[in-house]
Structures are given as structure tokens and as C-alpha cells.
Amino acid sequence: MNRRIFLLAGAGLTLAACGTASAPPLGADGKPLPRVYKMGSPSEVSFRFLDAMNTLRSARSLRPVAFDASLNAAAETHARDMSVQNRPWHFGSDGSSPLVRAQRSGFNGRLLGENISETYETELETLSSWMAQPDTRVVIMDPLATRLGFAWYQEPGGKIWWVMMTGV
């Protein structure tokens, strides 16, 4: 009796594994719609990003970066502003450059670079995307960098606007 139950249960599990998964919903362009990334607490997201970035830098024998409050503030302001403008670009709605935004936030060091992104991806997927492109990878791997500003803004529909700034 136990043997039959075991065989029936095994057959049931095998058949269940053969079932097809439902296809993701498609947009008007025929491509799968993005999945909304549920953001964790701001400190968890930020420190996951910082740890991952410093791991990448360490692999190339570069010194780690640390958060800078004024660069974080400049990044946060720009992430929200890009959402309002509905476009990822390095200039604010008032025409401000990354350097001007950093200065307005009280940054007294030298700004080295800024990476931005409009996506539905997680912070680690975004970092990976930046590492895949030479122009954004150079900002992450700048050997002079010691300070980091990192922030995001997530719209109610799930789109995330990421901003990362480095300085010394």
C-alpha cells in the first residue's frame, strides 16, 4: 500500500513539473512587460549597492568608496528630477549639471562622474548594466574615487530612476 502511494505521489510530482508556466503579460510592442521590483528599505538597497561596488573595485585592487551625505543628496534630487522630466539625462530641469548639483548639496570635493539609469531593474542589475558599458564602468572603477553618492526614485508604476555619483 505504501509503495503504491509513493509511486502515485512521484508520478503526480513528475506530471506537475511538466506543466507549462504561464507566459508573462505582453505589452503593445509584443515584448514582455517589466516586473515591478519591490524596493527594500533604503539602507538595505544602498548598502547592497555599496558592498557590490566595493567588491568590484577590490577585484581590481582599487580602494573602496564610502557614502558621502552631500553626494547622496545631489543624487536623490536628480533621481526625482529625472522622473519629473520623464527622461534619463545628466542635466536637471533647471539646466543644472552634475557639478552644480553636487555643489548645491554642499559637496566640497572634486566630482569625478555620474551614472544614471531609467529601469525596472534592481540595484545589482543596474550596477551590472553599468559595468557592461565602457563609459559607465569607468565612473565605477575610477581609481581616484573615494566618495559615493547613490539614490533612486521609484514611481508608483514601478519604474526606477537611479543616480550614482563619485568624487574624491
Side-chain angles (χ1 to χ4, degrees), residues 67-106:
F67 285 127
D68 181 282
S70 54
L71 285 179
N72 282 342
E76 184 174 353
T77 299
H78 192 53
R80 288 182 178 274
D81 190 44
M82 286 192 305
S83 172
V84 169
Q85 296 180 71
N86 196 32
R87 64 178 170 182
W89 76 319
H90 292 283
F91 293 94
S93 56
D94 63 355
S96 61
S97 68
L99 179 60
V100 168
R101 287 192 304 277
Q103 290 170 342
R104 284 182 190 163
S105 296

Short mmCIF file of all heavy atoms in Angstrom, two decimals, residues 67-106:
data_model
loop_
_atom_site.label_atom_id
_atom_site.label_comp_id
_atom_site.label_asym_id
_atom_site.label_seq_id
_atom_site.Cartn_x
_atom_site.Cartn_y
_atom_site.Cartn_z
N PHE A 67 30.02 56.26 1.40
CA PHE A 67 28.96 57.22 1.13
C PHE A 67 29.34 58.61 1.59
O PHE A 67 29.99 58.79 2.61
CB PHE A 67 27.66 56.80 1.84
CG PHE A 67 26.95 55.66 1.17
CD1 PHE A 67 26.60 54.54 1.89
CD2 PHE A 67 26.61 55.72 -0.16
CE1 PHE A 67 25.94 53.49 1.29
CE2 PHE A 67 25.94 54.69 -0.79
CZ PHE A 67 25.62 53.57 -0.05
N ASP A 68 28.93 59.59 0.82
CA ASP A 68 29.09 61.00 1.16
C ASP A 68 27.68 61.59 1.20
O ASP A 68 26.95 61.52 0.20
CB ASP A 68 29.94 61.68 0.09
CG ASP A 68 30.16 63.14 0.39
OD1 ASP A 68 29.22 63.94 0.13
OD2 ASP A 68 31.24 63.50 0.87
N ALA A 69 27.30 62.17 2.33
CA ALA A 69 25.94 62.68 2.52
C ALA A 69 25.56 63.72 1.47
O ALA A 69 24.43 63.72 0.96
CB ALA A 69 25.77 63.24 3.92
N SER A 70 26.48 64.60 1.12
CA SER A 70 26.15 65.64 0.15
C SER A 70 25.98 65.06 -1.26
O SER A 70 25.08 65.48 -2.00
CB SER A 70 27.18 66.76 0.17
OG SER A 70 28.47 66.25 -0.02
N LEU A 71 26.79 64.07 -1.62
CA LEU A 71 26.61 63.42 -2.93
C LEU A 71 25.33 62.59 -2.94
O LEU A 71 24.64 62.54 -3.96
CB LEU A 71 27.82 62.55 -3.27
CG LEU A 71 29.08 63.29 -3.72
CD1 LEU A 71 30.20 62.29 -4.02
CD2 LEU A 71 28.81 64.17 -4.91
N ASN A 72 25.00 61.95 -1.82
CA ASN A 72 23.72 61.23 -1.74
C ASN A 72 22.56 62.19 -1.96
O ASN A 72 21.60 61.86 -2.68
CB ASN A 72 23.56 60.55 -0.38
CG ASN A 72 24.35 59.27 -0.25
OD1 ASN A 72 24.79 58.68 -1.23
ND2 ASN A 72 24.57 58.85 0.99
N ALA A 73 22.63 63.38 -1.36
CA ALA A 73 21.55 64.37 -1.51
C ALA A 73 21.44 64.84 -2.96
O ALA A 73 20.34 64.97 -3.50
CB ALA A 73 21.78 65.55 -0.58
N ALA A 74 22.58 65.08 -3.60
CA ALA A 74 22.57 65.50 -5.00
C ALA A 74 21.99 64.40 -5.89
O ALA A 74 21.21 64.68 -6.81
CB ALA A 74 23.98 65.87 -5.45
N ALA A 75 22.36 63.16 -5.61
CA ALA A 75 21.84 62.02 -6.40
C ALA A 75 20.33 61.88 -6.20
O ALA A 75 19.59 61.64 -7.17
CB ALA A 75 22.56 60.74 -6.00
N GLU A 76 19.87 62.02 -4.97
CA GLU A 76 18.44 61.89 -4.70
C GLU A 76 17.64 62.98 -5.41
O GLU A 76 16.59 62.71 -6.01
CB GLU A 76 18.17 61.93 -3.20
CG GLU A 76 16.72 61.70 -2.87
CD GLU A 76 16.46 61.59 -1.38
OE1 GLU A 76 17.42 61.57 -0.59
OE2 GLU A 76 15.28 61.54 -1.02
N THR A 77 18.12 64.19 -5.35
CA THR A 77 17.44 65.30 -6.03
C THR A 77 17.34 65.03 -7.53
O THR A 77 16.29 65.24 -8.14
CB THR A 77 18.21 66.62 -5.78
OG1 THR A 77 18.22 66.88 -4.38
CG2 THR A 77 17.57 67.78 -6.51
N HIS A 78 18.42 64.54 -8.11
CA HIS A 78 18.42 64.31 -9.56
C HIS A 78 17.54 63.12 -9.95
O HIS A 78 16.89 63.15 -11.00
CB HIS A 78 19.83 64.15 -10.10
CG HIS A 78 19.89 64.21 -11.58
ND1 HIS A 78 19.35 65.26 -12.31
CD2 HIS A 78 20.39 63.35 -12.50
CE1 HIS A 78 19.52 65.04 -13.60
NE2 HIS A 78 20.15 63.88 -13.74
N ALA A 79 17.50 62.09 -9.12
CA ALA A 79 16.64 60.94 -9.43
C ALA A 79 15.17 61.39 -9.52
O ALA A 79 14.44 61.02 -10.45
CB ALA A 79 16.81 59.85 -8.38
N ARG A 80 14.74 62.17 -8.57
CA ARG A 80 13.36 62.69 -8.60
C ARG A 80 13.14 63.61 -9.80
O ARG A 80 12.10 63.58 -10.45
CB ARG A 80 13.03 63.42 -7.31
CG ARG A 80 12.85 62.49 -6.13
CD ARG A 80 12.48 63.26 -4.86
NE ARG A 80 12.27 62.35 -3.77
CZ ARG A 80 11.12 61.74 -3.51
NH1 ARG A 80 10.08 61.94 -4.29
NH2 ARG A 80 11.00 60.92 -2.49
N ASP A 81 14.13 64.45 -10.08
CA ASP A 81 14.00 65.39 -11.18
C ASP A 81 13.92 64.67 -12.53
O ASP A 81 13.15 65.08 -13.41
CB ASP A 81 15.17 66.38 -11.17
CG ASP A 81 14.98 67.52 -12.14
OD1 ASP A 81 13.85 68.09 -12.20
OD2 ASP A 81 15.95 67.88 -12.83
N MET A 82 14.69 63.61 -12.72
CA MET A 82 14.60 62.85 -13.97
C MET A 82 13.20 62.27 -14.13
O MET A 82 12.66 62.24 -15.23
CB MET A 82 15.64 61.73 -14.01
CG MET A 82 17.05 62.20 -14.25
SD MET A 82 18.22 60.86 -14.63
CE MET A 82 18.03 59.76 -13.24
N SER A 83 12.60 61.82 -13.03
CA SER A 83 11.25 61.28 -13.09
C SER A 83 10.27 62.36 -13.54
O SER A 83 9.40 62.11 -14.37
CB SER A 83 10.84 60.73 -11.72
OG SER A 83 9.47 60.38 -11.72
N VAL A 84 10.41 63.56 -12.99
CA VAL A 84 9.54 64.67 -13.37
C VAL A 84 9.72 64.99 -14.85
O VAL A 84 8.74 65.23 -15.57
CB VAL A 84 9.83 65.92 -12.50
CG1 VAL A 84 9.13 67.15 -13.04
CG2 VAL A 84 9.42 65.66 -11.06
N GLN A 85 10.96 64.97 -15.32
CA GLN A 85 11.24 65.25 -16.74
C GLN A 85 10.88 64.07 -17.64
O GLN A 85 10.78 64.24 -18.85
CB GLN A 85 12.73 65.55 -16.93
CG GLN A 85 13.21 66.79 -16.23
CD GLN A 85 14.69 66.99 -16.49
OE1 GLN A 85 15.09 67.32 -17.61
NE2 GLN A 85 15.50 66.77 -15.47
N ASN A 86 10.75 62.90 -17.04
CA ASN A 86 10.48 61.65 -17.75
C ASN A 86 11.55 61.36 -18.81
O ASN A 86 11.24 60.92 -19.92
CB ASN A 86 9.08 61.64 -18.37
CG ASN A 86 8.67 60.23 -18.75
OD1 ASN A 86 9.05 59.26 -18.11
ND2 ASN A 86 7.88 60.11 -19.81
N ARG A 87 12.79 61.60 -18.44
CA ARG A 87 13.89 61.22 -19.32
C ARG A 87 15.18 61.11 -18.51
O ARG A 87 15.44 61.92 -17.63
CB ARG A 87 14.07 62.20 -20.47
CG ARG A 87 14.46 63.58 -20.05
CD ARG A 87 14.65 64.47 -21.26
NE ARG A 87 14.80 65.84 -20.86
CZ ARG A 87 14.96 66.83 -21.69
NH1 ARG A 87 15.00 66.60 -22.98
NH2 ARG A 87 15.10 68.05 -21.25
N PRO A 88 15.98 60.08 -18.82
CA PRO A 88 17.26 59.95 -18.13
C PRO A 88 18.31 60.78 -18.85
O PRO A 88 18.66 60.52 -19.98
CB PRO A 88 17.55 58.45 -18.26
CG PRO A 88 16.88 58.05 -19.52
CD PRO A 88 15.68 58.94 -19.68
N TRP A 89 18.76 61.82 -18.19
CA TRP A 89 19.85 62.59 -18.73
C TRP A 89 20.56 63.32 -17.61
O TRP A 89 20.06 63.41 -16.50
CB TRP A 89 19.41 63.48 -19.88
CG TRP A 89 18.64 64.73 -19.56
CD1 TRP A 89 17.65 64.90 -18.63
CD2 TRP A 89 18.80 65.99 -20.19
NE1 TRP A 89 17.19 66.18 -18.67
CE2 TRP A 89 17.87 66.87 -19.62
CE3 TRP A 89 19.63 66.46 -21.20
CZ2 TRP A 89 17.76 68.19 -20.00
CZ3 TRP A 89 19.50 67.78 -21.59
CH2 TRP A 89 18.58 68.63 -20.99
N HIS A 90 21.73 63.84 -17.90
CA HIS A 90 22.59 64.36 -16.84
C HIS A 90 22.30 65.81 -16.46
O HIS A 90 22.95 66.33 -15.56
CB HIS A 90 24.06 64.22 -17.26
CG HIS A 90 24.51 62.79 -17.32
ND1 HIS A 90 24.82 62.05 -16.20
CD2 HIS A 90 24.67 61.96 -18.37
CE1 HIS A 90 25.16 60.83 -16.56
NE2 HIS A 90 25.08 60.75 -17.86
N PHE A 91 21.33 66.44 -17.08
CA PHE A 91 21.03 67.82 -16.75
C PHE A 91 19.68 67.93 -16.05
O PHE A 91 18.72 67.28 -16.43
CB PHE A 91 21.07 68.70 -18.01
CG PHE A 91 22.46 68.79 -18.56
CD1 PHE A 91 22.87 67.93 -19.55
CD2 PHE A 91 23.37 69.70 -18.04
CE1 PHE A 91 24.17 67.98 -20.04
CE2 PHE A 91 24.67 69.75 -18.51
CZ PHE A 91 25.07 68.90 -19.51
N GLY A 92 19.63 68.77 -15.03
CA GLY A 92 18.41 68.97 -14.28
C GLY A 92 17.40 69.78 -15.07
O GLY A 92 17.73 70.41 -16.08
N SER A 93 16.17 69.80 -14.60
CA SER A 93 15.12 70.56 -15.27
C SER A 93 15.43 72.06 -15.27
O SER A 93 14.91 72.80 -16.10
CB SER A 93 13.76 70.29 -14.63
OG SER A 93 13.82 70.58 -13.24
N ASP A 94 16.30 72.50 -14.38
CA ASP A 94 16.73 73.90 -14.34
C ASP A 94 18.02 74.12 -15.12
O ASP A 94 18.62 75.19 -15.05
CB ASP A 94 16.89 74.37 -12.90
CG ASP A 94 17.97 73.60 -12.15
OD1 ASP A 94 18.54 72.63 -12.70
OD2 ASP A 94 18.24 73.96 -10.99
N GLY A 95 18.48 73.10 -15.85
CA GLY A 95 19.70 73.19 -16.64
C GLY A 95 20.96 72.87 -15.85
O GLY A 95 22.07 72.95 -16.39
N SER A 96 20.81 72.48 -14.59
CA SER A 96 21.98 72.21 -13.74
C SER A 96 22.74 70.97 -14.20
O SER A 96 22.16 69.99 -14.62
CB SER A 96 21.56 72.05 -12.28
OG SER A 96 20.67 70.96 -12.14
N SER A 97 24.05 71.05 -14.07
CA SER A 97 24.93 69.93 -14.39
C SER A 97 25.16 69.11 -13.12
O SER A 97 24.85 69.57 -12.02
CB SER A 97 26.27 70.46 -14.90
OG SER A 97 26.96 71.11 -13.85
N PRO A 98 25.75 67.93 -13.24
CA PRO A 98 26.09 67.15 -12.04
C PRO A 98 26.98 67.95 -11.08
O PRO A 98 26.79 67.90 -9.86
CB PRO A 98 26.83 65.93 -12.59
CG PRO A 98 26.30 65.77 -13.98
CD PRO A 98 26.04 67.17 -14.47
N LEU A 99 27.93 68.71 -11.61
CA LEU A 99 28.83 69.50 -10.77
C LEU A 99 28.05 70.55 -9.98
O LEU A 99 28.25 70.71 -8.77
CB LEU A 99 29.91 70.16 -11.63
CG LEU A 99 30.90 71.05 -10.88
CD1 LEU A 99 31.65 70.25 -9.82
CD2 LEU A 99 31.87 71.68 -11.86
N VAL A 100 27.15 71.25 -10.63
CA VAL A 100 26.35 72.27 -9.95
C VAL A 100 25.47 71.64 -8.87
O VAL A 100 25.38 72.16 -7.76
CB VAL A 100 25.50 73.07 -10.98
CG1 VAL A 100 24.45 73.92 -10.28
CG2 VAL A 100 26.40 73.92 -11.86
N ARG A 101 24.86 70.49 -9.18
CA ARG A 101 24.02 69.83 -8.18
C ARG A 101 24.84 69.38 -6.97
O ARG A 101 24.39 69.50 -5.83
CB ARG A 101 23.28 68.64 -8.80
CG ARG A 101 22.16 69.04 -9.74
CD ARG A 101 21.30 67.85 -10.10
NE ARG A 101 22.04 66.75 -10.68
CZ ARG A 101 22.38 66.66 -11.96
NH1 ARG A 101 22.06 67.62 -12.80
NH2 ARG A 101 23.05 65.62 -12.41
N ALA A 102 26.03 68.88 -7.22
CA ALA A 102 26.89 68.46 -6.11
C ALA A 102 27.27 69.67 -5.25
O ALA A 102 27.23 69.60 -4.01
CB ALA A 102 28.14 67.76 -6.64
N GLN A 103 27.63 70.77 -5.88
CA GLN A 103 27.99 71.98 -5.13
C GLN A 103 26.80 72.50 -4.33
O GLN A 103 26.95 72.90 -3.18
CB GLN A 103 28.51 73.06 -6.09
CG GLN A 103 29.86 72.73 -6.68
CD GLN A 103 30.27 73.68 -7.80
OE1 GLN A 103 29.45 74.37 -8.39
NE2 GLN A 103 31.56 73.67 -8.11
N ARG A 104 25.61 72.51 -4.93
CA ARG A 104 24.40 72.96 -4.23
C ARG A 104 24.13 72.11 -2.98
O ARG A 104 23.56 72.60 -2.02
CB ARG A 104 23.18 72.88 -5.14
CG ARG A 104 23.07 73.96 -6.15
CD ARG A 104 21.80 73.76 -6.94
NE ARG A 104 21.74 74.63 -8.09
CZ ARG A 104 20.93 74.45 -9.11
NH1 ARG A 104 20.08 73.43 -9.15
NH2 ARG A 104 20.93 75.30 -10.12
N SER A 105 24.49 70.86 -3.05
CA SER A 105 24.25 69.95 -1.92
C SER A 105 25.33 70.05 -0.85
O SER A 105 25.28 69.33 0.14
CB SER A 105 24.15 68.50 -2.41
OG SER A 105 23.03 68.37 -3.25
N GLY A 106 26.32 70.88 -1.08
CA GLY A 106 27.37 71.08 -0.09
C GLY A 106 28.61 70.24 -0.30
O GLY A 106 29.48 70.18 0.57
#
